[in-house]
Amino acid sequence: GDSVTQMEGPVTLSEEAFLTINCTYTATGYPSLFWYVQYPGEGLQLLLKATKADDKGSNKGFEATYRKETTSFHLEKGSVQVSDSAVYFCALRYTGGFKTIFGAGTRLFVKA
Amino acid sequence: DTGVSQDPRHKITKRGQNVTFRCDPISEHNRLYWYRQTLGQGPEFLTYFQNEAQLEKSRLLSDRFSAERPKGSFSTLEIQRTEQGDSAMYLCASSSHRDLSTDTQYFGPGTRLTVL
């Protein structure tokens, strides 16, 4: 079945460091891919999305490229801030489908 | 605030009791979803409504769980005879059939259930 695998956390970085959170997926078709973020005490928020191969999603300095050949959707940010500390979830969903499949999440700590 | 809201935010109950959670989706969103999230894991799909019709249920949703969306607006999730294994965060999400590109799901803050 379809699944999403993320790198295990926690990831601890200093402010202004470069961030990569790896995400790979297994899918029988061609889903849309998402990154959600969950700040402490808050609900899941959509961070960015990409709907087809080679699309790049971007938001708030984060970006991820849909790579069909490597079945990956790695999240990157050039310079993290303390306020980026959160749990990040990679996910997939088929357009028009009802179910989003999530990875286990990667916790990010950013130190000042 | 016009986002998805859930009530209560926290619920502590004793094993064997029944609990009910409520979700109010974004206005005019006709699709509503329930997920369950346990500690250290991503959310897992439980069930899906389109308007008032429950179109899909996960095998995770045992006979003790029931969900309704009687008028196609708010939804309730009831757990009967709660067990300690039911302790989790219950998330509700909604989406619009008009968002044809990806039908993005918007999540509420969740209801954290603790079964003692």
Side-chain angles (χ1 to χ4, degrees):
Chain A
D2 299 337
S3 65
V4 175
T5 302
Q6 295 181 231
M7 64 186 287
E8 286 191 25
V11 174
T12 302
L13 296 174
S14 297
E15 209 165 23
E16 300 184 1
F18 184 86
L19 169 71
T20 300
I21 300 178
N22 290 337
C23 170
T24 57
Y25 67 91
T26 301
T28 53
Y30 303 100
S32 296
L33 301 176
F34 304 83
W35 277 99
Y36 281 84
V37 59
Q38 190 171 36
Y39 297 103
E42 297 185 18
L44 283 167
Q45 300 176 25
L46 179 64
L47 181 59
L48 54 83
K49 62 189 180 187
T51 59
K52 60 183 186 298
D54 300 325
D55 268 3
K56 177 184 284 188
S58 60
N59 186 28
K60 300 181 181 179
F62 291 90
E63 59 182 34
T65 301
Y66 191 139
R67 301 284 188 200
K68 194 174 80 169
E69 63 277 12
T70 54
T71 62
S72 64
F73 192 55
H74 304 322
L75 182 68
E76 296 182 336
K77 186 175 185 183
S79 176
V80 294
Q81 305 300 311
V82 172
S83 57
D84 294 327
S85 298
V87 182
Y88 292 82
F89 293 92
C90 185
L92 68 81
R93 185 159 183 237
Y94 292 99
T95 301
F98 52 81
K99 177 169 66 172
T100 301
I101 296 170
F102 289 87
T106 302
R107 183 174 294 277
L108 171 66
F109 291 107
V110 181
K111 302 180 296 183
Chain B
D1 186 13
T2 57
V4 178
S5 62
Q6 293 187 243
D7 183 70
R9 295 290 304 274
H10 303 274
K11 178 71 177 177
I12 299 174
T13 191
K14 293 182 179 179
R15 188 177 54 186
Q17 297 295 303
N18 299 343
V19 294
T20 300
F21 310 141
R22 177 180 169 123
C23 170
D24 286 90
I26 293 172
S27 179
E28 297 182 356
H29 276 191
N30 66 329
R31 296 174 177 175
L32 187 146
Y33 315 80
W34 285 98
Y35 288 81
R36 182 172 67 188
Q37 185 179 14
T38 54
L39 199 61
Q41 299 298 316
E44 296 174 292
F45 171 79
L46 291 179
T47 191
Y48 160 61
F49 289 85
Q50 183 159 306
N51 300 311
E52 65 277 6
Q54 187 175 20
L55 298 185
E56 186 68 24
K57 288 173 61 173
S58 165
R59 284 172 291 180
L60 293 175
L61 219 61
S62 75
D63 293 346
R64 297 183 296 105
F65 288 71
S66 62
E68 294 182 344
R69 195 182 183 199
K71 297 181 180 178
S73 56
F74 73 92
S75 175
T76 58
L77 177 68
E78 181 183 15
I79 309 174
Q80 297 182 325
R81 304 181 304 281
T82 52
E83 301 173 355
Q84 288 183 326
D86 297 331
S87 296
M89 178 78 85
Y90 290 85
L91 299 171
C92 177
S94 70
S95 69
S96 170
H97 66 288
R98 293 192 181 90
D99 183 359
L100 297 177
S101 60
T102 58
D103 192 17
T104 300
Q105 295 180 346
Y106 296 89
F107 283 81
T111 295
R112 181 169 295 283
L113 173 66
T114 302
V115 181
L116 303 176

